Amino acid sequence: MGACLKARRVKSFVTSLFKIPLLFLLLYLFVCSLDVLSSAFQLAGGRVAGDIFQDNAILSNPVAGLVVGILVTVLVQSSSTSTSIIVSLVSSGLLDVQSAIPIIMGSNIGTSVTNTIVALMQAGERDEFERAFAGATVHDCFNWLSVLVLLPLEAVSGVLRRLSQTAVDALRLRTGEEAPELLKVITEPLTKMVIQLDQSIITAIATGDQSMRNKSLVKQWCQTTTVMSNETAWRPHNFSLSVHTKKCCHLFVDSSLSDLAIGLILLACSLLVLCSCLILLVKLLNSLLRGQVANVINTVINTDFPYPFTWLAGYLALFVGAGMTFVVQSSSVFTSAITPLIGVGVISIERAYPLTLGSNLGTTTTATLAALASPGDKLAAAVQVALCHFFFNLLGILLWYPVPVSRLPIRMARALGSCTARYRWFAVFYLLLCFLLFPSLVFALSMAGWRVMAGVGTPVVLVIAFVAVVTILQARKPDYLPLRLQNWDFLPVWMTSLQPLDDLITKATLKCRRKKGKKVSCSSEGEGLELNWSLDSQSLTGNTTDQATPSTSANSIIILNGQQAGSLTCSVQNRVSSSETTIQLTTCE
């Protein structure tokens, strides 16, 4: 018996030992797929991004500049690319620092879309999805709240511009070497075999160089030599000639496909690799980080220091996030890498929040080092733009982190995670709304003029503020409100709940399901209900449609297709107690 137990332990140890290099391999492929995904977006939308940046009349409007920053960063999937374009525009005199600041704020928002997309890959398991989506959207909430406070403040006082100008004047700036690219040393050997892009073409289009408009972003030649020629009878002066000497080596170097076609191919392939790696990573992490191992890691990562130094743990996490982002040179890579860890429960959202804030600071430090590599005549402007990015994130941290009461992004992210776990479709709706529909609407209003924007925006802001204040009073001081406003029951259901919309989506989904199947329903009444299905103790969240409401009644429907047998259980939880209803199935036809 003892020998058998020992053999099992050895087998378990050896299996775990082989899983660790597999984990690093999947993480490597995951990071490489993010790099290729960024290249795919640049091929598909890079020229559009360059054209948008070229219109300086639009960029002079701070609200339009903010939206341009969001949309361009979403298009190219890289805040580094959009920031480098902004630095080029400022240093060349085509854009002033005051107009560049809102675009930088927008790029800060746009870069957080990557880890939100990564969170969608964990939608299969309800609890994991709730944690992962909350951990991803805490970045969005922080950026949006910071912009809501700092953009009006910047428009009125120019605080970021003045701070950055003071810092530039105080520093003795000298041009330096290029910023280190530590992660790319590891990833480029693989990604360069897939695709190589000429980033300068997007920047050239943005700065108005029409000769670059018809050139492909796909790099053809990787080495060019300048040949000097002496004067001749027909050319009286010396001249230089650029000669291509070494062709690039990647999959699309001799391709006749357009940039858009290559971009779409790479987009599909990189998303496939990204999703596959993420799913395997989550499964591998779940198998490795369970039982006592998970408890130990949770204790190490999420435990605070002893009193009175409990507050130091969060700031240490902030510095760790900044340092790790500086090493990998990408906030998207770092936040996307910790999203699965948040989903499986290894990192709590309270600890992920300072890690994310530190990541925001880390990516600005890299941009500052890159700006220091600028030529002498462009150095001051480039560094000032990079410092504006740094001060924006620093002021955002001072607003939303030091005082525990001010950590609104955590509460907002938890609410979004809870809503998304109940209504799965809300995740896609959230992405489209926050990163496409809402910015596009604001952009259209800002282009119509300040009067139109104020006429539409002011009533909307006042209504949102009124609803927020009344909702807080309903929860904490209902006696301060008139009897009519002590709850929202007098409003139609569609104004207070997503349930009617969920019902419509459910009906549309059920029509698309296979006709062959067994439909089983479960309903209950109580307060704050949630219904869950399981078959032989295995969760069936992927096949259920929860129609629970936080009020007094709930109904859940499950469609079982194919031949299945076992014990189907509908569990009902509420704030007071829980119960289970078990249905014995023989077959499901």
Side-chain angles (χ1 to χ4, degrees):
M1 191 71 179
C4 182
L5 182 61
K6 186 177 180 180
R8 285 182 181 177
R9 287 180 177 176
V10 171
K11 182 180 178 181
S12 176
F13 175 76
V14 172
T15 304
S16 299
L17 205 61
F18 277 106
K19 285 180 179 179
I20 293 172
L22 180 60
L23 181 70
F24 282 105
L25 176 62
L26 289 172
L27 187 61
Y28 174 74
L29 292 175
F30 173 75
V31 173
C32 289
S33 67
L34 283 175
D35 195 352
V36 176
L37 182 68
S38 175
S39 298
F41 273 105
Q42 289 178 54
L43 282 167
R47 295 182 186 280
V48 177
D51 288 335
I52 292 174
F53 273 127
Q54 190 179 351
D55 196 337
N56 294 327
I58 293 176
L59 301 183
S60 62
N61 182 332
V63 177
L66 173 74
V67 176
V68 164
I70 296 172
L71 295 177
V72 168
T73 308
V74 170
L75 276 175
V76 300
Q77 280 289 289
S78 171
S79 60
S80 300
T81 300
S82 55
T83 304
S84 65
I85 295 174
I86 297 166
V87 169
S88 299
L89 289 173
V90 172
S91 60
S92 62
L94 296 175
L95 188 69
D96 58 18
V97 175
Q98 184 177 356
S99 300
I101 292 173
I103 309 174
I104 291 171
M105 294 182 182
S107 69
N108 224 49
I109 293 174
T111 193
S112 61
V113 71
T114 307
N115 54 315
T116 309
I117 294 173
V118 168
L120 295 179
M121 303 303 110
Q122 291 178 264
E125 179 61 40
R126 179 183 299 276
D127 293 334
E128 283 187 13
F129 187 38
E130 180 174 354
R131 290 191 295 263
F133 198 80
T137 53
V138 74
H139 195 184
D140 307 344
C141 296
F142 168 78
N143 287 330
W144 279 109
L145 287 173
S146 299
V147 165
L148 286 175
V149 174
L150 294 177
L151 182 62
L153 185 63
E154 173 64 24
V156 172
S157 64
V159 59
L160 294 175
R161 179 171 51 83
R162 294 176 190 277
L163 276 174
S164 60
Q165 184 63 57
T166 303
V168 169
D169 293 340
L171 295 172
R172 295 180 178 179
L173 298 175
R174 291 183 301 175
T175 57
E177 295 181 357
E178 297 255 342
E181 298 186 348
L182 304 179
L183 183 68
K184 288 190 175 181
V185 172
I186 304 171
T187 59
E188 277 189 350
L190 179 60
T191 57
K192 277 191 171 182
M193 292 172 62
V194 179
I195 189 69
Q196 294 182 46
L197 299 185
D198 190 350
Q199 304 276 1
S200 62
I201 292 179
I202 301 176
T203 305
I205 293 173
T207 53
D209 188 350
Q210 298 299 322
S211 64
M212 294 290 187
R213 183 166 295 278
N214 294 323
K215 287 191 175 182
S216 173
L217 292 176
V218 179
K219 186 179 283 189
Q220 301 290 332
W221 298 94
C222 289
Q223 187 173 333
T224 303
T225 303
T226 302
V227 178
M228 299 297 298
S229 177
N230 297 326
E231 58 181 279
T232 62
W234 55 275
R235 186 182 291 271
H237 302 288
N238 295 338
F239 67 95
S240 61
L241 181 65
S242 295
V243 179
H244 298 305
T245 57
K246 184 180 179 182
K247 205 163 191 177
C248 297
C249 182
H250 57 86
L251 292 178
F252 297 95
V253 66
D254 291 318
S255 175
S256 59
L257 296 173
S258 65
D259 284 1
L260 179 60
I262 296 173
L264 292 176
I265 292 171
L266 288 176
L267 182 64
C269 295
S270 59
L271 282 176
L272 179 62
V273 175
L274 180 72
C275 297
S276 303
C277 289
L278 192 60
I279 291 169
L280 292 173
L281 271 172
V282 170
K283 289 185 179 294
L284 204 57
L285 287 170
N286 276 326
S287 65
L288 285 171
L289 307 177
R290 62 184 176 189
Q292 293 183 351
V293 177
N295 292 333
V296 170
I297 294 175
N298 269 317
T299 302
V300 171
I301 294 179
N302 299 316
T303 301
D304 292 326
F305 290 114
Y307 182 82
F309 303 106
T310 53
W311 54 274
L312 275 176
Y315 289 96
L316 179 62
L318 197 147
F319 282 109
V320 169
M324 290 299 295
T325 303
F326 177 76
V327 169
V328 301
Q329 286 212 316
S330 172
S331 59
S332 297
V333 169
F334 177 73
T335 53
S336 298
I338 67 171
T339 297
L341 297 175
I342 300 169
V344 298
V346 173
I347 303 177
S348 67
I349 188 172
E350 286 79 12
R351 187 63 74 239
Y353 182 51
L355 286 171
T356 302
L357 300 189
S359 177
N360 271 9
L361 278 182
T363 195
T364 61
T365 307
T366 306
T368 305
L369 288 174
L372 289 173
S374 301
D377 58 335
K378 301 177 181 180
L379 183 61
V383 172
Q384 186 176 359
V385 171
L387 288 176
C388 286
H389 197 186
F390 173 78
F391 284 124
F392 168 73
N393 284 295
L394 183 62
L395 291 177
I397 291 172
L398 294 177
L399 281 171
W400 307 115
Y401 186 72
V403 183
V405 178
S406 68
R407 295 172 188 174
L408 290 178
I410 294 180
R411 294 196 286 275
M412 292 172 64
R414 284 192 183 280
L416 286 170
S418 177
C419 182
T420 306
R422 174 167 291 180
Y423 308 109
R424 306 296 177 87
W425 52 265
F426 182 78
V428 178
F429 173 76
Y430 168 83
L431 273 173
L432 292 175
L433 179 67
C434 287
F435 296 103
L436 183 62
L437 299 178
F438 179 69
S440 300
L441 177 62
V442 173
F443 181 77
L445 290 174
S446 65
M447 287 295 94
W450 284 104
R451 293 182 180 178
V452 174
M453 188 169 181
V456 176
T458 303
V460 172
V461 171
L462 291 176
V463 169
I464 292 173
F466 173 77
V467 171
V469 170
V470 171
T471 302
I472 293 171
L473 290 175
Q474 285 176 352
R476 299 184 179 181
K477 301 288 184 181
D479 296 337
Y480 288 10
L481 295 170
L483 185 62
R484 181 81 170 170
L485 288 177
Q486 289 183 3
N487 55 60
W488 299 113
D489 292 346
F490 64 92
L491 293 174
V493 179
W494 60 268
M495 293 184 69
T496 59
S497 172
L498 293 174
Q499 190 58 50
L501 183 57
D502 185 66
D503 291 340
L504 289 175
I505 294 174
T506 301
K507 289 178 182 178
T509 304
L510 290 176
K511 287 180 181 179
C512 296
R513 291 179 184 269
R514 290 187 293 176
K515 294 181 180 179
K516 197 173 183 180
K518 185 177 181 66
K519 176 179 174 181
V520 185
S521 64
C522 174
S523 61
S524 184
E525 293 186 359
E527 190 69 24
L529 297 171
E530 183 177 356
L531 305 181
N532 295 294
W533 291 96
S534 63
L535 182 63
D536 291 334
S537 301
Q538 297 296 318
S539 175
L540 289 175
T541 53
N543 296 333
T544 61
T545 302
D546 286 339
Q547 297 176 324
T549 63
S551 55
T552 58
S553 64
N555 182 47
S556 187
I557 300 171
I558 184 170
I559 305 293
L560 295 172
N561 294 306
Q563 299 291 327
Q564 297 191 40
S567 178
L568 181 67
T569 303
C570 174
S571 61
V572 183
Q573 287 89 24
N574 62 18
R575 295 174 187 168
V576 180
S577 62
S578 62
S579 62
E580 292 187 350
T581 301
T582 302
I583 304 165
Q584 293 295 333
L585 295 180
T586 54
T587 59
C588 176
E589 298 178 354

